[in-house]
Amino acid sequence: MAPGSRASSQGMTLSARQRASNRHRPFGRSAGAERRRGEDPRTNSPAGTPPTADQARAGRWRRAFATETSSEPAADRILRRLALVFGIAGVLAVLAETPEIAEQSRAAAPAWTVLTVVLAFGWFPVLAIVSFGSSTRVIQWVSGAAAICYLLAFAVVPLAYRESHVDATAVWLYRLFALGVLAAALAWRPMIAVGYLVVGAAASAAANMYVTPYGTGWGLAGDFVRAAGLCVLFLWCAIYARAAAARVDRESAIASSRAAVAAGAAARDRERARFAALIHDAVLSTLLDASRAGVESPVLRSQAERTLVQLDEARGSATEPDRLDAKHAIDFLRAAVHDVNPGIAFAERRWSGFDDLRLPVQAAGAIAAALVEAVRNSLRHATVPGRAVQRTVTVTVSAGGIRVVFRDDGAGFDLSRVPADRLGVSVSILGRMRQLAGGAGFVESAPGEGTTVTLVWGSDG
């Protein structure tokens, strides 16, 4: 290659590196602009100046919002949104029905009325509160409590109203039964929620018949059909929203798997292009010069030696089909982690001459999926009130193998007390690595001590 061409190639490489660096900076701001402005990008304040209390609070809110919106699976995000909406709806409903409740309570003892109101609506403010920051398991537990207590409120009606003399077309619990159904849709599987709807509609119709005068069998059947028919619509909307979010998560997992395959295909294309350029620029050029020279030439001998060296290097460093070298494997894992949460620190360790990694694309996809599950579990369950949890990923490549370590200093947990139905650790992390030839996974955690997840791949077994 001519000196001018080499210089041009180096300039293009530097330009590409600069563009890649700028892609990780805020839109419209380059590294030079940040240095000229002398600002701390975390607080938008002059470098070296400690942030004010308002700036610190704003930063915590931004980090919390970013974690909630970009790191959680879609199914968890929609569960939080629905819990917040249903909780607020319960509060607004009791405020709107207060005059009617007061009117109907004239026929009942005040203590029973208060108990009925607390059973029916007491959990909905709690549901709205736990939708911020609590785990999805807590949200579902509170939703289940709200649904069950609403049924218990129907059971209190015969004790509160001694006889049927409420001057109204329907008892107030009957009109608001949809709140209990919506809570059941968040707490349980669709079939259980449907069973709750049937039982609750029957209980609401019976309570309505007991309280209002002139109740008949046909009136009971009509009340049941009206209550069930109205609540079916609300139940279908809630179930469909959660199913759509789960479908988004499945499609995202499929897209990640396809991205791993695409990365392998891109690596093969790059190797083919590199070999084609080597054959054209070195091998064919040397053979053509040899055919034209006719006699031994020192220049031709030197060119042939350089060509042989290049062929040996290419044979030793070529990436086999469907395999990733150290650089591309690390880039792939970094992209998988930062797709979940860009704020997680990512470090790599490589030593020249010992980073001869040949990681199969399928193995890279399995490791990335296990790593992403570990990150998501940390974001869901490792939150510590009052401080930010530090999360880091360290990838080490050495002696043909790769080790990925994810650490957080969060709440931690007791591995022996993880329920059998929680599959995040046993199946999505450890099970996935056990099924990978040459792979292994380890989880270390203790309450209050944080969690460390180690993923190792050494060979094809």
Side-chain angles (χ1 to χ4, degrees), residues 320-333:
E320 294 91 347
D322 296 323
R323 291 178 182 260
L324 304 179
D325 59 15
K327 178 182 181 303
H328 293 103
I330 292 173
D331 290 344
F332 177 69
L333 294 175

Side-chain angles (χ1 to χ4, degrees), residues 229-265:
L230 175 64
C231 293
V232 161
L233 177 61
F234 290 100
L235 179 62
W236 179 85
C237 291
I239 292 176
Y240 182 83
R242 297 190 63 187
R247 187 163 56 249
V248 169
D249 289 333
R250 289 194 298 270
E251 293 297 329
S252 177
I254 294 173
S256 298
S257 177
R258 289 175 178 172
V261 176

Side-chain angles (χ1 to χ4, degrees), residues 418-437:
V418 176
D421 60 343
R422 298 304 300 269
L423 307 181
V425 173
S426 61
V427 174
S428 298
I429 299 177
L430 300 180
R432 181 177 276 122
M433 294 303 297
R434 279 195 300 266
Q435 294 175 2
L436 177 61

Side-chain angles (χ1 to χ4, degrees), residues 8-178:
S8 175
S9 175
Q10 292 174 350
M12 292 173 63
T13 302
L14 292 175
S15 177
R17 290 176 181 172
Q18 185 176 6
R19 289 194 300 269
S21 176
N22 287 338
R23 280 198 298 267
H24 298 282
R25 302 185 184 277
F27 180 78
R29 183 183 297 182
S30 64
E34 287 186 358
R35 286 192 295 268
R36 286 192 300 270
R37 291 181 58 178
E39 291 182 351
D40 185 346
R42 295 170 298 179
T43 60
N44 290 332
S45 61
T49 303
T52 64
D54 291 339
Q55 289 174 334
R57 284 192 295 270
R60 287 195 296 269
W61 275 103
R62 284 195 296 268
R63 287 192 297 270
F65 180 78
T67 298
E68 180 182 357
T69 56
S70 63
S71 62
E72 282 191 321
D76 291 352
R77 291 201 301 272
I78 196 65
L79 180 66
R80 292 185 184 279
R81 299 299 186 272
L82 292 178
L84 176 61
V85 171
F86 297 165
I88 294 176
V91 174
L92 296 178
V94 70
L95 293 177
E97 288 291 323
T98 297
E100 184 67 21
I101 295 173
E103 179 66 25
Q104 294 186 15
S105 65
R106 294 178 180 179
W112 287 111
T113 300
V114 172
L115 177 61
T116 306
V117 172
V118 170
L119 285 174
F121 302 110
W123 285 102
F124 286 95
V126 180
L127 182 61
I129 293 172
V130 299
S131 66
F132 294 99
S134 298
S135 66
T136 55
R137 188 168 186 173
V138 172
I139 295 174
Q140 290 179 308
W141 185 89
V142 173
S143 300
I148 293 173
C149 286
Y150 205 98
L151 284 184
L152 293 178
F154 286 125
V156 175
V157 168
L159 302 176
Y161 300 91
R162 295 297 183 181
E163 55 185 16
S164 304
H165 58 267
V166 173
D167 188 14
T169 58
V171 68
W172 57 270
L173 275 174
Y174 174 83
R175 291 198 297 268
L176 301 177
F177 174 58

